[in-house]
Amino acid sequence: MTQRIAVLRAISLGDFIVALPALYALRAHFPDAHIDLLARPWMHELAEKRPFPFNSVISVPVFPGVYDDPAKIEDIVKQEAFFSEMQKKRYDLAIQLHGGGRNSNPFVKRLGANYTIGMKTDDAPDLDKTIPYRLYQHEVHRYLEVVSLAGASPVAIDPKIPTIEEDYREATEFIRGINSPYVVLHTGASDSRRIWPADSYAQLGDRLYEEGYEIVLTGTISEENIITEVQKAMKHQAVNLCGKLSLRALIGVLKQTRAVISNDTGPMHLARAIGIPTIGIYWFPNMIHWSPVTRSTNRTAISWIQECEVCRQPLFDRDSQIPLNEIESCGHMKSYVSSVTVDEVFRKTIELIS
């Protein structure tokens, strides 16, 4: 009988969210098991007081290819202490939901579980049972396929995150002065190639403002430049919350908006997971992995660019199994989604919120 399960998913916000249907499937199949989510430290804030399908969050140490942090140094002593504590828990099952397995499969094997499952590229170490890791599979379906190796069947396909009172309380000071319905523009992303041009966001913001919606700009400190550029290009005023929001406050701000318009990035997945309409701006190969599973309250605007606009070098290899964010580019780093028009995004936004 499976009593204790470890699940490795120590990546970013959007990566966690698309794995939620798999975690709910796992809980439904093992209702009495104690499930530990092995994650990055930020996960503690999100998980606190929320009825997620796992019992506890355990922070993983810095470990090459699993948790890389430029601000932290790899500490072998901390790694050894971590694995020693994990082995004491005597896991019945350890699950790798963390990529192709070159680095994450050795990590999972060191947990000392009786049985291991996960994903595997051709050059990754084996676990007891794996599915092949290949590109161009929707991420929600990928992780559901992994937990099916343990007998778990889907109970939902849309990721869902419950909101709590603290979300609204922490958001109050940031939206207190907003008197009209508002729309959130999340204009940054971790990869500049996924960012819609600042001028396009500015034009969209002005058009929505003229339709009676206030504009709220969200983002992290690392995205301050693009957010400032958008704000300066707008004719109308926008509320700039860049770098001001905790994760709970961000949820509270998103929960009370009419819609979120965003590049392909974590806060867009978060908005969907709490039930807010989204308009996502995608480069077409990323659509296969990260698009919304359902369309009732979600729309997509897709760029079909296949060549660098400067040198005409192909932007991807159809036969490659290299993750899109690791493909060596020509170096121009131009937006892959610049071909998406303001008219298209505006039309799809109004369609959702009118």
Side-chain angles (χ1 to χ4, degrees):
M1 183 178 180
T2 300
Q3 298 290 340
R4 196 167 192 112
I5 301 171
V7 180
L8 176 63
R9 189 64 174 161
I11 320 186
S12 63
L13 177 61
D15 295 296
F16 162 72
I17 290 171
V18 294
L20 271 169
L23 292 169
Y24 280 107
L26 196 65
R27 171 56 72 201
H29 189 66
F30 298 108
D32 300 320
H34 183 98
I35 301 175
D36 289 329
L37 180 67
L38 278 52
R40 295 192 181 188
W42 65 263
M43 187 66 215
H44 290 275
E45 180 186 356
L46 180 62
E48 186 180 9
K49 298 184 180 181
R50 292 182 210 277
F52 276 135
F54 44 86
N55 299 87
S56 59
V57 176
I58 297 176
S59 295
V60 302
V62 171
F63 190 95
V66 173
Y67 177 21
D68 296 297
D69 187 339
K72 297 180 180 179
I73 300 173
E74 182 183 4
D75 188 325
I76 302 300
V77 173
K78 286 185 178 180
Q79 290 177 7
E80 294 297 333
F82 170 82
F83 288 116
S84 177
E85 287 301 309
M86 295 301 99
Q87 290 161 15
K88 291 176 184 176
K89 295 180 184 293
R90 299 185 182 276
Y91 288 111
D92 299 289
L93 174 64
I95 304 174
Q96 187 268 97
L97 298 182
H98 199 91
R102 280 191 299 272
N103 299 293
S104 51
N105 285 358
F107 186 101
V108 165
K109 289 164 77 75
R110 289 182 66 181
L111 299 175
N114 293 334
Y115 198 75
T116 57
I117 63 175
M119 298 168 281
K120 183 183 183 306
T121 55
D122 294 340
D123 59 350
D126 281 319
L127 299 176
D128 290 312
K129 203 167 187 179
T130 59
I131 66 166
Y133 185 91
R134 296 290 184 267
L135 288 185
Y136 309 131
Q137 178 181 12
H138 198 287
E139 298 300 306
V140 167
H141 300 158
R142 190 191 303 279
Y143 308 121
L144 284 170
E145 187 176 0
V146 173
V147 298
S148 74
L149 298 176
S153 298
V155 293
I157 58 170
D158 262 327
K160 299 294 182 186
I161 291 179
T163 53
I164 56 176
E165 182 180 342
E166 284 79 359
D167 301 330
Y168 299 95
R169 184 163 58 244
E170 292 197 23
T172 299
E173 65 175 292
F174 300 106
I175 59 175
R176 185 180 288 117
I178 300 177
N179 300 314
S180 304
Y182 64 91
V183 170
V184 167
L185 306 185
H186 190 87
T187 62
S190 59
D191 187 331
S192 63
R193 294 171 292 183
R194 289 189 274 117
I195 295 178
W196 202 37
D199 185 62
S200 296
Y201 270 116
Q203 290 181 51
L204 176 68
D206 283 331
R207 290 179 66 173
L208 290 171
Y209 185 94
E210 289 161 7
E211 290 289 324
Y213 299 99
E214 291 209 44
I215 303 302
V216 173
L217 305 173
T218 60
T220 63
I221 287 295
S222 65
E223 297 164 335
E224 184 176 14
N225 287 345
I226 180 69
I227 294 169
T228 300
E229 194 177 345
V230 172
Q231 188 173 31
K232 287 182 176 178
M234 286 184 63
K235 296 182 297 183
H236 299 292
Q237 186 176 6
V239 178
N240 186 345
L241 299 182
C242 175
K244 297 179 181 179
L245 303 176
S246 67
L247 187 51
R248 284 189 289 265
L250 175 62
I251 292 172
V253 169
L254 296 182
K255 187 65 178 178
Q256 297 171 79
T257 187
R258 292 297 299 274
V260 174
I261 299 131
S262 174
N263 306 308
D264 175 17
T265 192
M268 180 171 60
H269 295 284
L270 180 61
R272 287 182 191 143
I274 61 174
I276 298 304
T278 66
I279 301 88
I281 299 166
Y282 288 94
W283 185 42
F284 72 98
N286 290 331
M287 270 287 297
I288 299 169
H289 291 262
W290 303 101
S291 66
V293 180
T294 56
R295 291 294 190 273
S296 297
T297 58
N298 302 295
R299 300 291 185 272
T300 58
I302 307 168
S303 168
W304 300 95
I305 290 175
Q306 298 186 44
E307 297 179 336
C308 173
E309 64 182 56
V310 177
C311 65
R312 299 304 173 190
Q313 177 176 310
L315 296 177
F316 72 106
D317 180 351
R318 289 180 174 83
D319 298 321
S320 174
Q321 286 301 312
I322 301 173
L324 297 173
N325 63 340
E326 296 178 9
I327 293 175
E328 183 178 351
S329 73
C330 57
H332 292 118
M333 299 300 287
K334 295 290 187 179
S335 171
Y336 289 5
V337 294
S338 58
S339 65
V340 172
T341 67
V342 174
D343 283 344
E344 178 186 0
V345 179
F346 175 78
R347 173 175 52 80
K348 290 181 175 180
T349 303
I350 295 301
E351 178 184 311
L352 272 182
I353 64 181
S354 295

